Amino acid sequence: MPSDALPDDPLPSWHDGRTKRAILDFIARVTKQGGPDYAPPAERIAVFDNDGTLWAEKPVYFQAQFALDEIARKAKENPALARQEPYRSVLAKDLKALTADNHKGLLQTLAVTHANMTTEEFASRVQDWLKTARHPVTKRPYTEMVYQPQLELLALLGKTGFRTFIVSGGGVEFMRVFADKVYGVPPERVVGSSDVVTFRMGKDGKPELYKTAKVEFVDDGPGKPVGINRFIGRRPILAFGNSDGDLQMLQYVTGGAGPRLGLLVHHTDGAREWAYDRKSPVGKLDKALDEAGARGWTVVDMKQDWKEVFPPAP
Amino acid sequence: MPSDALPDDPLPSWHDGRTKRAILDFIARVTKQGGPDYAPPAERIAVFDNDGTLWAEKPVYFQAQFALDEIARKAKENPALARQEPYRSVLAKDLKALTADNHKGLLQTLAVTHANMTTEEFASRVQDWLKTARHPVTKRPYTEMVYQPQLELLALLGKTGFRTFIVSGGGVEFMRVFADKVYGVPPERVVGSSDVVTFRMGKDGKPELYKTAKVEFVDDGPGKPVGINRFIGRRPILAFGNSDGDLQMLQYVTGGAGPRLGLLVHHTDGAREWAYDRKSPVGKLDKALDEAGARGWTVVDMKQDWKEVFPPAP
Ligand SMILES: [Ca+2]
Ligand SMILES: [Ca+2]
């Protein structure tokens, strides 16, 4: 890594220590031409989980909050809806009703907020929501609930010839709305879960893509290496996750020959963020934490390793 | 387009004329900063069909030839197979038997040559085949059956800030083996048809991806805009195809706002290549040719527009 191309400290929000050294050493090794661990630029692919790895995921996944807010917005626009399901149960916060009958209510909630519209329509709903929605605890826009140390790492990887991808269980059409602006990751480098989309001619005679309610792909757990193969077609050399949903992705990435770096965010900071791991319903980190030692993955201790968690308010 | 960055004639294998001018004008317009048609680099996405657009497709699709050659190779290695289906019918060139019962024999042929192995194993089969197989007419390796004018166009687009993608009905795992070397299109910019791939732990305890015989996605016809949305997540501004399988892709790409370029290769050169269109079972060009006029797509007349068809032997 040519030092003249980078600032003195390219990761200023990371405390000096074992974790930061592991990251900087890895980048230095794979970019050192003629070195034993040199990786040509084509091989420098880094994959990042999103929820809990690049941005927060508490108290609920932000995409789930989008769905709940959409239900409220639609019911406000059309009050008759409030008497129908799933609106009634969502508005009453009746989790028991929503999860009954194999989560029928939650699936209906997803369908009415995420499907039966064009991809452009959906993107504009997400855009509108991101403009006005605020996180219930910090009162900040959700796009400011991203981790400053990770923004620095994404930028550093970009400067050192890596192509960074998001590989997340979140919806691909949801993430693509903000990933470029917030993370510098363009739409074609976002891999996520998806519904079946169909091509059709719109009422105006113009071609359009229509988002149906049928699940096409779940980019989580064993789906992550599958998604990586499908979209990227090459085994990355760096993977960063935070939960058991990233276990197979880390196994796959670090299971290849040559230099590999596996990383996990461990949410240990109950003061500045949230502290959770083995027993959390959201972002459960249990098996992957156990495997980290045996497989040589680097566990980022949020409390110890990060000087800052969120970026300063703009 | 800064002329000092490009050779005097960036498309030397294209005859001067309306077609070449349409291409060069488009690139000049979308790259002219401050111009009315300027497209920022992020929007400069160009999609290319593969069979019949970037390389030849006669007498049969090259991937189909791969499957037939694999059957022969396997039967040679294990002569007992020659008495079983689909080997017997393939070796006997018994097309009637292969297509009977809803193409059962052809589907079996695909299954035994393309499935039930890891993605790495499949890639190495394709690699071996590309090394030794020769085109039945020209006797050249299949990777030399690419169109020289298109190699020049891909290079020109790369130099003018475009990201080029392949969007083909061919198998994604098949094309990724050679697309980078032959076209300069890396694996993550190849979109194609695919089988379901599953993640598992291999016998050696190492994670692997296993290719099953279950079709996952057919990237043809209306599947092409769907594939573009899934993999690229943004509407390209240039699309190049050669058959009715590209109709919806061209409709979608040229149906967006702002400057758009739709192109079709018309195979008119029976002397240097093959002449076929409306009635060809392979690469049928009929509806898309009819729509080209109404929608302002540029039809490349291979005989008139291309000085060279294939690259010189290396
Ligand atoms: Ca996560
Ligand atoms: Ca074609």
Side-chain angles (χ1 to χ4, degrees), chain A residues 143-256:
Chain A
T143 47
E144 292 178 19
M145 296 297 292
V146 297
Y147 302 132
Q148 175 65 22
Q150 300 290 57
L151 298 181
E152 293 166 7
L153 177 56
L154 288 169
L156 174 61
L157 290 168
K159 277 182 202 148
T160 53
F162 276 80
R163 289 187 309 303
T164 50
F165 286 77
I166 292 173
V167 177
S168 165
V172 69
E173 306 272 354
F174 180 79
M175 294 185 289
R176 279 173 171 162
V177 174
F178 58 86
D180 200 0
K181 197 173 161 204
V182 174
Y183 303 130
V185 176
E188 67 267 27
R189 298 208 316 250
V190 178
V191 181
S193 298
S194 53
D195 295 324
V196 170
V197 168
T198 58
F199 175 83
R200 66 180 200 184
M201 283 295 167
K203 284 182 198 141
D204 56 0
K206 286 194 177 162
E208 61 185 29
L209 293 164
Y210 195 75
K211 212 167 173 298
T212 76
K214 193 179 164 202
V215 172
E216 173 186 81
F217 179 58
V218 178
D219 188 43
D220 196 36
K224 289 204 175 192
V226 169
I228 288 170
N229 179 64
R230 181 184 301 182
F231 282 78
I232 310 178
R234 178 142 51 183
R235 200 190 297 231
I237 63 173
L238 184 157
F240 213 139
N242 81 303
S243 81
D244 285 357
D246 302 307
L247 178 62
Q248 289 86 356
M249 174 168 83
L250 265 78
Q251 288 172 339
Y252 176 63
V253 167
T254 64

Side-chain angles (χ1 to χ4, degrees), chain B residues 49-53 57 61 224 241-243 246 283:
Chain B
D49 167 61
N50 185 42
D51 298 305
T53 298
E57 59 186 347
Y61 290 127
K224 288 203 176 193
N242 80 303
S243 82
D246 301 308

Side-chain angles (χ1 to χ4, degrees), chain B residues 70-214:
Chain B
E70 278 291 280
I71 291 282
R73 181 187 64 77
K74 286 160 77 101
K76 204 173 162 192
E77 273 178 29
N78 180 1
L81 288 176
R83 292 187 296 275
Q84 301 170 20
E85 289 302 342
Y87 297 88
R88 192 207 61 77
S89 299
V90 169
L91 296 170
K93 299 187 181 175
D94 186 347
L95 198 63
K96 203 174 156 195
L98 288 168
T99 52
D101 202 3
N102 277 323
H103 299 84
K104 191 177 168 193
L106 286 179
L107 292 175
Q108 283 177 329
T109 303
L110 275 179
V112 300
T113 57
H114 283 71
N116 303 316
M117 61 185 105
T118 66
T119 53
E120 291 182 1
E121 217 174 314
F122 178 71
S124 97
R125 297 273 163 96
V126 177
Q127 219 151 19
D128 288 350
W129 177 77
L130 287 172
K131 271 183 215 151
T132 55
R134 294 294 177 269
H135 189 276
V137 177
T138 65
K139 312 297 178 199
R140 297 183 71 169
Y142 286 97
T143 47
E144 292 178 18
M145 296 297 292
V146 297
Y147 302 132
Q148 177 63 23
Q150 300 289 57
L151 298 182
E152 293 166 5
L153 178 55
L154 288 169
L156 173 60
L157 290 169
K159 277 182 202 145
T160 51
F162 276 81
R163 288 184 314 301
T164 51
F165 286 78
I166 293 173
V167 177
S168 165
V172 67
E173 305 272 356
F174 180 79
M175 294 185 287
R176 279 174 171 163
V177 174
F178 58 87
D180 199 359
K181 197 175 162 202
V182 174
Y183 304 129
V185 177
E188 67 267 27
R189 298 208 316 249
V190 179
V191 180
S193 298
S194 53
D195 295 324
V196 170
V197 168
T198 58
F199 175 82
R200 65 180 202 184
M201 282 295 167
K203 284 186 195 132
D204 56 1
K206 286 193 176 160
E208 62 186 29
L209 292 164
Y210 194 75
K211 212 167 172 301
T212 75
K214 194 179 162 200

Side-chain angles (χ1 to χ4, degrees), chain A residues 115-121 196-212, chain B residues 221-226 229 235 247-249 251-253 255 295:
Chain A
N116 303 316
M117 60 186 107
T118 66
T119 54
E120 291 181 1
E121 217 173 317
V196 170
V197 168
T198 58
F199 175 83
R200 66 180 200 184
M201 283 295 167
K203 284 182 198 141
D204 56 0
K206 286 194 177 162
E208 61 185 29
L209 293 164
Y210 195 75
K211 212 167 173 298
T212 76
Chain B
K224 288 203 176 193
V226 169
N229 179 64
R235 202 190 295 231
L247 178 61
Q248 289 86 354
M249 175 168 82
Q251 288 172 339
Y252 176 62
V253 167
R295 295 192 182 253

